[in-house]
Amino acid sequence: MKFLKRALFIIFINLILIASVSADNLNHPIEFSIDLKNKKLIAIKELINQGKTKEALQQLYKVIDEVENQKDTVAIINSHRMLADILRDNGDFKKSNLNYSKIIPLIKSDYETLQYIYFKKGGNFQLDGIVDSALVNYIKAIEIGKKIKNKEDLKAKIHANLSGVYYLKANYNKAIEHSKIAANYQKILGNLDIEAGIINNLGGIYYMQGKYKESLKMFQKALSIVGNGKNELDKKTRRSAYINMAYAYSALDDYKKAYEYQDKYSVIDDSLKQELKYKEIAEIESKYKVAKKEKEAQIEKNKRLKAEYWTFGLSIASVILLLVIYIIFKLYRLSKKNYKLQIAQEQLIYNSAIEKVKSDAQSKILVATLDGRIEERRQIASVLHDNVSALLSAASLHLYASKKQLKDSTPIEIDKSQAIISDAADQIRDLSHKLISSVLLKFGLTVAVQDLCEKASNSTLKISVNSKNITRFNQNFEIKLFNIINEIVNNMLKHSKAQNGVIKLEQLNGNLQVVIFDDGKGFDVDKVRNKKGIGLSQIEARIHVLGGLINIVSSNSGTRIFISVPIVY
């Protein structure tokens, strides 16, 4: 249970740090000199603001050709920087950095612009997953910043992003150092809410080092800064600090405090969800008041009509009075009935929300447990491959050297020892590959799935693979998808009684689509899911947490499984 909580906490902290990395989207104005070409750049900038990016790019490329032919240095810098910003905003980080690099030699001693360019390049590399290059550019930006007075806002963001890079490289001491610098700059600027968020992240880094008491100090400091602030950033910081403190106290075995801060987190979480409901209630109340006024106006109109027709006789007036009373009575009964229906509807909505929360929590717990197992298997495989195998190889070399020295008088025990060591090395290598596929780690998802299908195919079942537009993705993402496919292939081998199977992989519009089908006997999807489908539950839970979808169609002529998940690069 304690391991599970730690795993959940680590996932939460990673999300916080990734959020801080995205802070490098700094708006830096492009300066224009007053001539015809730069007036064109101003017009292009206006097109971008209007969302006409394609038209802006067409005009911008023409301007770049003009200014480069005329060797107008200022206009070249401005035009390439504008192009780099557009490419960056549209996700083409490599081309964006090429344009930033073109203008660096032209900037010379304009240190503010140089610092900005290196900051932007570092952000591009970081968003593109090239962490080491991001680190180099952030460090250059910091060195240039030493020549600049003020500009604490940009310096704070550089140090915050650099902290995120060091965190990804597991250099927690450096991550702490730069987080503290970033927090101090935000304090100088008076951005208390941002300072609190950085300090909250700092507590998370301490937690990753196992320094739970230091992490608690940081979380408490973040809470003291945000206080009872009402803006969204204050609320989010206060909410994340509470849950972080709950996990930190849990790691210290202080479960009373852990549950206390978990309750505080739950109260804030519920209140955030309740805000939308309050708005809905206000809208309903407003409509009710309007309806009530309309009803009152109708009653007044009826009274005037009764007064006008009074002269026609007391009998007509009595009939009208009775009719009005009857209508009011009916309206009262109808409103009472509607009120009961409204209460029942709200109860159903509330119960549905509770069930959804429970289902989401169970899925996340299941996936966190499986991810924990994968991480343990990866660590064991690393130890077997990098340490134990190396020791066995060294022992074998020593025995070989001993045989050389003994020459013809080698004892038979040495030969047998060498054979035993060789057999042990083979078994350890096989065990390491079973724990985590070395083919997957070295060559990627496509080759790993092909290798899996070749090994799974036999005289009764042949499984083929088709892939389209598949590249290398984030390693954890590839491992999770490979495990899902592996589980489905195992089920096909055990239960389908199929003769042929096909696995199709395709990268399409930012999603990885996997289609698996066979010509086996099929199965009852609902029955397997409800009674004995722990494997199916694991697959669906993993895909749900990855933000994807799965569709299974099965009959006595075969089974087709469609999976689509957003790609993580």
Side-chain angles (χ1 to χ4, degrees):
M1 183 64 182
K2 189 172 180 179
F3 173 79
L4 176 58
K5 288 183 177 180
R6 180 178 177 85
L8 288 171
F9 182 88
I10 291 169
I11 294 168
F12 188 77
I13 289 297
N14 284 340
L15 290 174
I16 294 173
L17 287 166
I18 291 169
S20 72
V21 167
S22 65
D24 63 343
N25 293 322
L26 177 67
N27 292 323
H28 193 289
I30 297 176
E31 299 174 0
F32 299 97
S33 52
I34 309 301
D35 60 34
L36 180 61
K37 288 179 289 299
N38 282 337
K39 287 180 180 178
K40 291 181 179 179
L41 288 177
I42 294 172
I44 293 169
K45 185 70 175 178
E46 183 61 30
L47 288 173
I48 296 170
N49 293 336
Q50 294 172 4
K52 300 177 181 179
T53 306
K54 184 177 179 180
E55 184 179 347
L57 277 172
Q58 291 173 345
Q59 295 189 21
L60 183 55
Y61 281 118
K62 292 180 182 179
V63 171
I64 288 174
D65 288 338
E66 291 177 8
V67 298
E68 287 182 346
N69 289 333
Q70 297 171 4
K71 297 182 180 180
D72 186 341
T73 303
V74 174
I76 290 171
I77 292 171
N78 288 337
S79 58
H80 276 289
R81 194 164 77 184
M82 181 183 287
L83 178 57
D85 288 341
I86 295 172
L87 293 169
R88 170 192 175 86
D89 292 339
N90 286 273
D92 197 338
F93 306 118
K94 289 183 176 62
K95 288 185 180 179
S96 176
N97 274 347
L98 287 174
N99 281 273
Y100 285 136
S101 298
K102 284 182 181 179
I103 62 176
I104 287 177
L106 303 176
I107 298 173
K108 297 180 180 178
S109 60
D110 185 355
Y111 298 122
E112 289 186 10
T113 304
L114 271 175
Q115 185 187 34
Y116 166 81
I117 295 299
Y118 280 118
F119 170 60
K120 284 285 193 176
K121 284 187 68 181
N124 281 342
F125 280 123
Q126 192 165 358
L127 291 169
D128 208 18
I130 308 174
V131 179
D132 290 331
S133 297
L135 180 65
V136 170
N137 281 272
Y138 286 145
I139 291 174
K140 285 183 180 179
I142 289 174
E143 290 300 317
I144 293 170
K146 294 177 181 178
K147 302 175 183 179
I148 304 170
K149 294 182 179 180
N150 302 321
K151 296 295 179 181
E152 285 82 0
D153 184 33
L154 179 56
K155 293 176 182 177
K157 293 177 180 179
I158 295 171
H159 283 285
N161 285 13
L162 191 54
S163 172
V165 171
Y166 278 122
Y167 175 86
L168 294 173
K169 293 174 70 66
N171 190 340
Y172 299 127
N173 290 331
K174 282 287 187 180
I176 289 170
E177 175 188 339
H178 289 282
S179 285
K180 287 180 177 179
I181 295 171
N184 187 55
Y185 276 130
Q186 295 295 354
K187 184 176 182 180
I188 293 171
L189 292 166
N191 297 329
L192 298 181
D193 48 359
I194 301 177
E195 179 194 358
I198 295 173
I199 291 172
N200 191 39
N201 290 351
L202 183 56
I205 302 172
Y206 277 126
Y207 184 98
M208 294 298 295
Q209 291 183 310
K211 298 178 180 179
Y212 305 124
K213 291 182 179 180
E214 286 84 347
S215 70
L216 280 171
K217 290 178 182 178
M218 293 300 103
F219 298 143
Q220 288 165 347
K221 185 176 180 181
L223 284 174
S224 67
I225 293 173
V226 299
N228 295 318
K230 301 301 182 184
N231 66 49
E232 290 300 318
L233 186 54
D234 287 341
K235 292 178 182 178
K236 290 179 180 177
T237 300
R238 192 158 54 244
R239 177 172 175 265
S240 63
Y242 281 147
I243 193 63
N244 288 350
M245 291 179 74
Y247 286 119
Y249 275 120
S250 177
L252 292 170
D253 295 330
D254 189 344
Y255 298 111
K256 182 178 179 182
K257 283 285 189 181
Y259 284 124
E260 175 186 336
Y261 281 97
Q262 185 174 343
D263 286 341
K264 290 184 178 182
Y265 163 79
S266 298
V267 169
I268 291 181
D269 194 46
D270 290 342
S271 66
L272 289 173
K273 293 177 181 177
Q274 197 67 20
E275 286 183 6
L276 180 60
K277 190 172 183 180
Y278 288 155
K279 292 178 182 178
E280 293 174 351
I281 291 172
E283 184 179 352
I284 292 170
E285 184 178 1
S286 175
K287 291 179 179 178
Y288 171 75
K289 288 180 178 179
V290 171
K292 185 177 179 181
K293 288 181 179 179
E294 290 177 352
K295 182 179 176 181
E296 290 174 351
Q298 183 64 36
I299 292 172
E300 290 297 323
K301 183 179 179 181
N302 289 339
K303 289 181 179 179
R304 288 195 300 271
L305 287 172
K306 285 193 291 182
E308 291 175 359
Y309 288 103
W310 183 257
T311 55
F312 289 97
L314 183 60
S315 59
I316 296 176
S318 299
V319 171
I320 293 173
L321 181 60
L322 290 172
L323 181 60
V324 170
I325 292 172
Y326 176 76
I327 291 171
I328 292 172
F329 176 72
K330 281 289 186 181
L331 288 174
Y332 170 75
R333 290 189 62 183
L334 182 60
S335 64
K336 189 174 181 180
K337 185 176 180 181
N338 287 340
Y339 178 74
K340 289 180 178 179
L341 289 172
Q342 182 182 354
I343 293 297
Q345 184 180 14
E346 290 178 356
Q347 186 64 38
L348 286 172
I349 293 171
Y350 176 74
N351 291 338
S352 176
I354 289 175
E355 290 301 320
K356 185 178 184 301
V357 169
K358 288 180 179 178
S359 176
D360 290 345
Q362 289 172 352
S363 295
K364 290 177 181 177
I365 289 170
L366 178 59
V367 171
T369 303
L370 295 173
D371 288 345
R373 291 177 184 171
I374 291 171
E375 183 59 28
E376 286 180 353
R377 292 175 70 175
R378 193 201 316 231
Q379 291 176 1
I380 293 170
S382 177
V383 170
L384 291 174
H385 185 272
D386 298 339
N387 298 335
V388 180
S389 291
L391 291 173
L392 291 175
S393 297
S396 182
L397 287 173
H398 284 307
L399 290 173
Y400 178 77
S402 298
K403 286 175 64 177
K404 287 289 185 181
Q405 291 179 0
L406 294 172
K407 298 182 179 177
D408 296 332
S409 60
T410 304
I412 191 171
E413 287 79 4
I414 290 181
D415 291 331
K416 287 184 176 181
S417 297
Q418 273 194 310
I420 292 169
I421 289 172
S422 176
D423 185 40
D426 291 340
Q427 291 186 27
I428 286 172
R429 183 175 62 254
D430 292 341
L431 178 58
S432 174
H433 291 174
K434 287 178 181 178
L435 290 171
I436 291 293
S437 170
S438 60
V439 176
L440 175 66
L441 299 180
K442 289 181 180 179
F443 303 108
L445 188 60
T446 299
V447 178
V449 173
Q450 288 173 343
D451 180 65
L452 170 66
C453 292
E454 288 175 4
K455 291 177 179 177
S457 296
N458 52 45
S459 59
T460 59
L461 172 62
K462 180 181 179 182
I463 306 175
S464 60
V465 180
N466 295 324
S467 63
K468 182 178 180 181
N469 196 27
I470 301 297
T471 59
R472 290 304 303 266
F473 309 126
N474 175 273
Q475 191 177 86
N476 285 337
F477 176 79
E478 289 184 335
I479 291 172
K480 291 175 182 178
L481 263 295
F482 179 78
N483 286 339
I484 290 170
I485 295 170
N486 188 28
E487 179 69 24
I488 295 172
V489 171
N490 286 337
N491 288 337
M492 187 189 300
L493 287 169
K494 292 178 183 177
H495 308 297
S496 70
K497 295 185 178 180
Q499 295 181 344
N500 297 285
V502 178
I503 300 176
K504 293 185 177 181
L505 305 172
E506 182 175 4
Q507 182 179 186
L508 184 64
N509 298 327
N511 290 323
L512 177 61
Q513 294 187 351
V514 183
V515 182
I516 304 173
F517 49 87
D518 62 58
D519 57 1
K521 66 178 183 177
F523 62 94
D524 188 328
V525 178
D526 293 331
K527 184 178 179 181
V528 170
R529 182 184 289 117
N530 294 331
K531 292 187 178 180
K532 56 181 180 180
I534 185 64
L536 184 59
S537 298
Q538 289 179 359
I539 292 169
E540 291 179 333
R542 279 182 173 277
I543 293 171
H544 175 69
V545 172
L546 287 170
L549 57 90
I550 179 171
N551 182 49
I552 304 174
V553 178
S554 186
S555 66
N556 55 12
S557 60
T559 300
R560 181 184 184 276
I561 301 174
F562 173 80
I563 298 169
S564 178
V565 292
I567 295 172
V568 180
Y569 292 96

